[in-house]
Amino acid sequence: MHDHLIVGGGIIGLLTARYLSQAGANVTLLERHQIGRESSWAGGGILSPLYPWRYAEPVNALARWSQQHYRTLADELQADTGIDPEWIQSGLLILDRDETSRATAWAATAGARLDIIDHDTLARIEPAVGEPPESGLLFPEFAQVRNPCLLKALRQDVQARGVRIIESAEVSHLLHENGRIGGVATADGSSIAAERVIIACGAWSASLLRELGQAIDITPVRGQMLLYRGKPGLLKHVVLHRGHYAIPRRDGRLLFGSTLEDVGFDKTVTEQARHELEHAAQALIPALAEIPLERHWAGLRPASPNGIPYIGAHPQIEGLYINAGHFRNGVVMAPASAHLLVDLLLGRRPVLDPTPFALDTHASAA
Ligand SMILES: Cc1cc2nc3c(=O)[nH]c(=O)nc-3n(C[C@H](O)[C@H](O)[C@H](O)COP(=O)(O)OP(=O)(O)OC[C@H]3O[C@@H](n4cnc5c(N)ncnc54)[C@H](O)[C@@H]3O)c2cc1C
């Protein structure tokens, strides 16, 4: 009998495993394929919602808590595993002038530093931007992580803490009796008994809960991304313009994203999206026309109503918990989201008010 069985080895499952094991709990992590190869790998690693003022307060509350703890998390992981998650305070530079008044109002209430940058300063600090607007919005404190490195570090970290990782194990359904979880059944026909089961299956979370009669609203939204093999220093900030963003990595690679597509569980990449993204990338940073495209991929974001994740206990099945539905902001929200769930699991005082994330709050809001 396992104490805590986490289903899903993305950033949410891994961080939940880390915090549980740090508290001395016995943890097993089950992953259908390989750890950290789905949405958490495919994402950009920007540690802020793109236009934070467009999001509900519960999303920003999770993002804020995480932003305050990410640097320490990255430092600890690097010290303990030798893998650098590349937390970089590159700032977020938004070139949409029509967002200025909403950005200014939001920054004032959120306590976020915002610098309004004029055209000449923009041209000086980001000379690679083709046609700098009259002014830009710079959030200098926002950071990024290199999410594939973060996932590798987390995997090594939780293993070193004694978390048992089982890969190539797809949970086909949940086992429960008399309103209590008993474990999970896997696609190869075996069953694994557990006191507590935590669903952290990202975009795939809803199907496991459906047979319990609990309709949770999590659907896949495909995002395609391009990776350029650039040179260090081409861009200094994460730059956002009209919903497209460029993310400069330390080694000069540059990510450009992304699409938002409602195509079900289909992760194939399309020529149309590549053209559209290349066009937008070169319009923003003309030098990209001469820089080789290294890779093009797609991931499935776990979309939920208003992007607010489900975090907490299942209202009917004792011992069953969920941590899923982080949509476009799962990397930035992950530390807060995982910490909050672990607080609830261990009966500790929660780091944030859990009400907006509870399954029954979502159900009544829907
Ligand atoms: C293109 C793109 C760009 C993004 N950019 C950003 C960004 O810049 N910043 C940000 O904060 N967020 C970003 N996101 C969103 C972020 O990546 C997601 O919100 C986050 O990764 C969700 O994490 P997760 O662990 O819930 O899901 P996942 O990483 O998808 O992990 C779920 C895991 O569960 C496993 N699983 C599923 N079903 C089962 C089963 N039945 N049995 C066992 N295992 C199962 C899967 O194989 C998978 O490994 C982006 C996403 C995409 C696609």
Side-chain angles (χ1 to χ4, degrees):
M1 171 76 84
H2 297 265
D3 289 353
H4 294 89
L5 185 68
I6 300 172
V7 186
I11 191 165
I12 300 298
L14 283 164
L15 269 169
T16 305
R18 173 178 159 91
Y19 293 140
L20 270 173
S21 59
Q22 273 182 333
N26 169 297
V27 185
T28 301
L29 182 57
L30 273 191
E31 164 57 44
R32 185 178 50 151
H33 298 312
Q34 281 173 277
I35 293 288
R37 297 296 299 173
E38 290 290 352
S39 191
S40 303
W41 179 91
I46 302 172
L47 297 183
S48 166
L50 289 180
Y51 301 93
W53 44 95
R54 295 184 188 173
Y55 286 91
E57 175 50 23
V59 169
N60 277 306
L62 289 170
R64 227 173 5 253
W65 191 94
S66 297
Q67 284 161 345
Q68 287 159 9
H69 294 82
Y70 241 112
R71 184 181 198 158
T72 307
L73 172 67
D75 287 349
E76 285 176 4
L77 287 172
Q78 184 173 6
D80 292 348
T81 67
I83 301 169
D84 182 1
E86 296 191 23
W87 180 94
I88 307 170
Q89 199 166 38
S90 41
L92 174 64
L93 179 59
I94 304 180
L95 301 180
D96 304 306
R97 282 184 68 204
D98 46 354
E99 297 286 348
T100 305
S101 56
R102 288 205 294 162
T104 311
W106 177 82
T109 47
R113 187 174 147 199
L114 167 62
D115 300 336
I116 313 274
I117 311 271
D118 64 25
H119 174 276
D120 292 350
T121 310
L122 268 178
R124 184 172 48 75
I125 64 170
E126 284 299 5
V129 169
E131 290 174 23
E134 280 312 300
S135 65
L137 305 163
L138 175 61
F139 290 94
E141 288 167 351
F142 289 169
Q144 59 160 299
V145 282
R146 193 159 183 161
N147 34 313
C149 300
L150 175 66
L151 293 163
K152 269 192 207 144
L154 277 171
R155 182 203 173 109
Q156 196 164 307
D157 170 72
V158 298
Q159 269 182 314
R161 291 176 186 281
V163 172
R164 183 163 171 234
I165 292 183
I166 307 174
E167 289 174 296
S168 306
E170 177 169 12
V171 170
S172 52
H173 58 274
L174 304 169
L175 303 173
H176 59 99
E177 212 174 280
N178 302 325
R180 222 209 113 72
I181 199 77
V184 300
T186 54
D188 66 3
S190 38
S191 54
I192 303 175
E195 282 282 319
R196 283 163 159 190
V197 172
I198 297 141
I199 306 296
C201 294
W204 296 268
S205 299
S207 59
L208 279 182
L209 292 164
R210 202 166 292 132
E211 65 188 77
L212 305 179
Q214 178 75 36
I216 65 162
D217 187 359
I218 298 181
T219 51
V221 171
R222 184 168 71 188
Q224 299 190 47
M225 198 84 127
L226 302 181
L227 179 69
Y228 289 90
R229 200 185 193 101
K231 293 222 160 53
L234 174 67
L235 214 62
K236 289 169 201 68
H237 306 87
V238 173
V239 177
L240 174 62
H241 181 54
R242 300 264 171 265
H244 287 119
Y245 50 82
I247 309 171
R249 299 299 200 206
R250 187 174 284 158
D251 63 4
R253 286 192 167 86
L254 189 141
L255 276 83
F256 195 86
S258 60
T259 60
L260 273 172
E261 302 166 80
D262 184 6
V263 291
F265 291 95
D266 176 3
K267 278 198 310 177
T268 43
V269 293
T270 63
E271 279 297 291
Q272 190 192 334
R274 185 171 64 79
H275 285 306
E276 184 194 305
L277 289 171
E278 275 188 312
H279 185 262
Q282 291 169 24
L284 184 61
I285 305 158
L288 289 178
E290 308 301 327
I291 292 177
L293 192 58
E294 189 176 344
R295 208 161 164 184
H296 174 197
W297 67 77
L300 299 177
R301 307 176 183 92
S304 52
N306 300 319
I308 301 174
Y310 295 83
I311 309 167
H314 188 281
Q316 279 95 38
I317 310 286
E318 208 188 325
L320 178 60
Y321 291 79
I322 181 164
N323 196 357
H326 298 74
F327 195 29
R328 302 195 77 178
N329 298 301
V331 179
V332 59
M333 293 195 286
S337 183
H339 207 294
L340 175 58
L341 184 70
V342 172
D343 291 342
L344 298 173
L345 280 161
L346 302 182
R348 299 189 305 214
R349 196 166 156 219
V351 282
L352 290 171
D353 175 11
T355 315
F357 314 105
L359 267 77
D360 24 19
T361 314
H362 265 283
S364 56

